[in-house]
Amino acid sequence: MAQPQAAGELDAVALETALLEAWKQENAFQASIDSRSNGAPFIFLEGPPTANGKPGIHHVVARAYKDLVCRWKTMEGFQVQRKGGWDTHGLPVEIEVQKRMDLMSNEAIEAFGMDNFNQACRESVWTYESAWREMTERMAYWVDLDNPYVTLDNNYVESCWWALKQMFDKGLLYRGHKVLPYCPQTGTSYSSHEVALGYKEVEEPSVYVKFKLVDEDASILAWTTTPWTLPGNVGLAVGPEVTYVRARVTEQAENWTGAGGAEVGEVVILAKDLMKEVLRHNVEIIEEIQGKSLVGMAYEPLFPDAVPRNDSTTAWTVLEADWVTTTDGTGVVHTAVMYGEDDYNLGMAAGLPAHHTVGMDGAFIEGTHPQLDGRYVKECDQTVIDLLSAQGGSNGKGPSSGLLYREKAYLHDYPHCWRTDHPLLYYAMDSWFVRMTAVKERLLEFNDGVEWAPDWVGEGRFGEWLRNVKDWAISRERYWGTPLPVWRGENGEMKCVGSIAELQSEVAKAVAAGIENPPCPDDVDLHRPIVDAFTLVDEHGKPMHREPFVMDCWFDSGCAPFAQWHHPFDGGETFEASSPVDYICEGVDQTRGWFYTLLAVSTTVFDKPAYKRCLSLGLILDAEGKKMSKSKGNIVDPWDHFNREGADATRWYMVTAGAPWNPLKFDSNGVRETYAKMFLTLWNIYKFHADYAALDGFDPEHNPVPVEQRPTLDRWILSRLASTATNYHSDFVGWNFHKACRDLEEFVVNDLSNWYVRRSRRRLWDDAESTDKLACQHTLHEVLTTVCKLMAPVSPFMVDIIHRNLTGETVHQASWPLGVPGTLEGATADSWDLDAAAATANLPPQDLDLEASMALVRELAEVGRRIRVEAGRRQRLPCAQGWIVAGPDLADFHDILAEELNVEAIEVEQDLDRFQRIELAPNFRALAPKARANVNAVANEIKASQDPEALLAAIEAGTCEIMGIQIEMSDVELKRAEREGFAASTVQIGQGDEASHISLVLDMNDTPALLSKGLARDITRRIQAKRKTLNMEIEATIDLEIWMKDAPELFDEDQQWIVNETRCAAAAFHPTDLQAPADADSFEVDGITVWFAVS
RNA sequence: GCGCGGGUAGCUUAGUCGGUUGGAGCACCCGGCUGAUAACCGGGAGGUCGCAGGUUCAAGUCCUGCCUCGCGCACCA
């Protein structure tokens, strides 16, 4: 073990950057893992960030919590491998490149060349890689960035292909048509987790439309908020059990605004419950009808040429659907098969024609209507309204008032593209799905086994998501991503390719069958357009082409547990040994993202859970409480703090600012505060110890002083250390890192710095060797090294410097003070022998009585200062006497108290009544059950008692009865108040029945000796301050001259005391009538003027 | 609309089983202490515990409704 060197002044940033360099030289990260080579593994999985955006402070938070747990578990003896990862596919990358290269449509991309485009994407992905790396290293997130997994790597893609093939072989993968939210601008449909990113409240025109019946001079009213879907209308849905009415218009409506209308005598059909909401005319009800009797009625198509009837017998008739309600609209649902999920399902079931009126570009298809063809649908709302409201309506077969009844502005949330902000269209498209609904029960079961922090995310948010699980739409009509490895022939045969080898053999088969193919080498790039070029053959030798999709990039990251090892092609053992992983940690926004896709892939491929513990972090908000995002420009740059307060303070602040799962309002001042309070204090404690340890040649391994032989103060701080560490650990176990760290900070600042070190200062000033000084040094050594270990997972820099200087060893290979379960025989990440683990703990003995006594002493010291403030007596003027009245025996602490209180002597006085009178207060908890409704009256009797002592005596004697209630001692609390004329104060110790009181009384009388002593202290203090401003060495001596006016006598012994304290070589105390020179310093205290000169 | 989590001093927050005087820190004011600190200590000022009801002898705490913020889900015909 090394002997401590003196510590310098703190420069946190320089300290950290120098240490980073040392870590790099020593390969400290790898060494910390290697030091646990015999430890049980604890498996961590890094959620891959996208490196095409600049890292912000919110990324630092997530990385801090990842690092914290990994470092903690390492100190507990586990081996924690941490492989980095990068998410490199997906729409965000494409959008970035599209913007930069001005390729804002699919046509533009294809004209530019898909290979060129994808090459640009491949490069763009790494734009901020170095920024990420620098941030990661600077904050000391220990993760292997030299061998990361990268989702665009061929090996990674191959594992994804393999996974998809497992699903395919299990029948979990299917091609379907599904109505999906679709963005015509990006040309892609979105999965629900992407849609959720873009809901916006918008006001749009909604319309009530008349559907003119064929066999009757009446119209059915239906409502829609998307007029652009009306040309695609092929059916009307009614609730079979809903009551509808035929209503005839009896008079013109007044104050009509907007388009549409109806004439007197027109007949409309709608749900009875919605007449008031919908109709603006007075009507008479002709009859009420059940929905089911409307079924089958035919009506005139609104746009006769827009959709071909083909062989449908049900097109443009009334259909029944049990999901139709009367909460909105007219109780009749306009059905456009291709533009709504319910519509599509109903249309398929009822045999409606499935025909698009809108193209993939979001524009009406030619032949829909001359005024609409080729126009973007969202710009056609008014045209549709105009066409409908023309006389006879858009089909010329409507009433002369037109087919529009009303229009109404409608405010609702509507999904928008989260990248381009365009409104999404619900659109029926070809798509590939993973049948998650088939494994729903397993998902729920696996989720039950996950330890979530906080638990309500798992049970509530995530559980709710799983209970409503939908099939996962995994295909994207995009370019940059893992290609969907499915080839499909004209007749619908399909082949899913699960590896490069399989691709090669299929290509060979195709070539053998006479189909030309480009070469397919071992290192064939598994991206578009390379893989698009391969044509395979089915069993009959017919060509099969690849389905032109890439996969949802969430599928990539969901494959991370095995794809990072290139399982099953390589790394099989590594994967088997690490599945499911022990710990993942990401922002709560990953609930439907990574948290879900990990579980989804793992369940469908392996029928296993993916992770055992998941820490879900709250969002990071800016100072105003807004979410930090690139688009808002409110991202805090972590370097602002790395370069000012350092990474230690930044990390500690983030952990102590709140529970990890709560939203964190990131406050730059908070980092500053943490630095000043926690780290500066810790450094100064350390500096105090290290400077004297170096001066005295202290060696922690020599001249040990057994704990039981150390002074009370030492045993106290060691016990506090043990208590704090124990709580710290159990808070870690319960994920309450914020509580753990707040308590430890309290310990360092309050107990260690403001009491132990302050009280111990003089012990180390002593030049001579002494057991007491040694005891203090050993104690400081033990406390500091343990605090370093506890803090190391959270803030790894300063504590390593301290630990290294005190012990010669890095803290990051040290043992966790509460034990090293990871090193135990047979231990796993989840379980170990508790007794054996406890035996590896290393903490000093606890003495809770001592802690309680010291707490009381400290409280009395504060009470003393309060008394002085109230009595107007300055702290430096001693009191002759202090009395402690009642309370436990504090004899061991009288020395401390006398010094803190600045009294000449402490005495214990048992007679409370000498200084105090008693007061009785009701104890409601005991009294209420007995007195019930009279409790307040009884309580007032007790409080208002004129002679509380007599009342107390009566209660003690058992003869006290108030309002028929027998009052016992447990029904009252004894309180004490000072009698007149005493400077005293009382504190309560304990709670409830255990409560007792202890009082402190100070003697306020002055004597010449006391005045002299007080004056000496004031003079000393001023001289010391002067020495400091003169920047004098502590050992330097001075010559002193003193002049005084209106001063009490300064006794010889007090003069001598000043001389000693201020290290005077020579001192002159001048008579009071001598005038001080003009350049002497002076001060006044209690009407006394003192001049002094230091040289 | 539904679900989850919030709303406590100017700001950041603690508050256990309901117990009568709601704690801290920052900032502010006054005083003290200091040869460890950018610190510390005492005091002061600052609170409609989101609002309104209810239960109870007693509500920041439990119940109901509402307002509001964040997040999520759903609907959006």
Side-chain angles (χ1 to χ4, degrees), chain A residues 487-495 538 542-545 547:
Chain A
W487 273 255
R488 186 161 172 270
E490 274 174 28
N491 301 325
E493 299 88 349
M494 289 193 256
K495 189 174 298 255
D538 66 12
K542 297 269 178 58
M544 303 172 89
H545 297 283
E547 287 281 280

Side-chain angles (χ1 to χ4, degrees), chain A residues 875-895:
Chain A
Q875 184 71 28
R876 283 188 215 94
L877 180 58
C879 294
Q881 176 91 55
W883 294 272
I884 294 170
V885 186
D889 177 17
L890 296 174
D892 286 350
F893 306 92
H894 282 187
D895 289 349

Side-chain angles (χ1 to χ4, degrees), chain A residues 926-939:
Chain A
L927 212 47
K930 293 203 284 188
R932 306 184 68 86
N934 289 330
V935 65
N936 282 328
V938 174

Side-chain angles (χ1 to χ4, degrees), chain A residues 681 716 745-756 858 862:
Chain A
T681 304
W716 167 76
E745 183 168 326
E746 184 70 16
F747 170 81
V748 169
V749 172
N750 198 23
D751 291 334
L752 186 55
S753 176
N754 289 337
W755 195 253
Y756 179 79
R858 296 184 63 179
E862 289 179 14

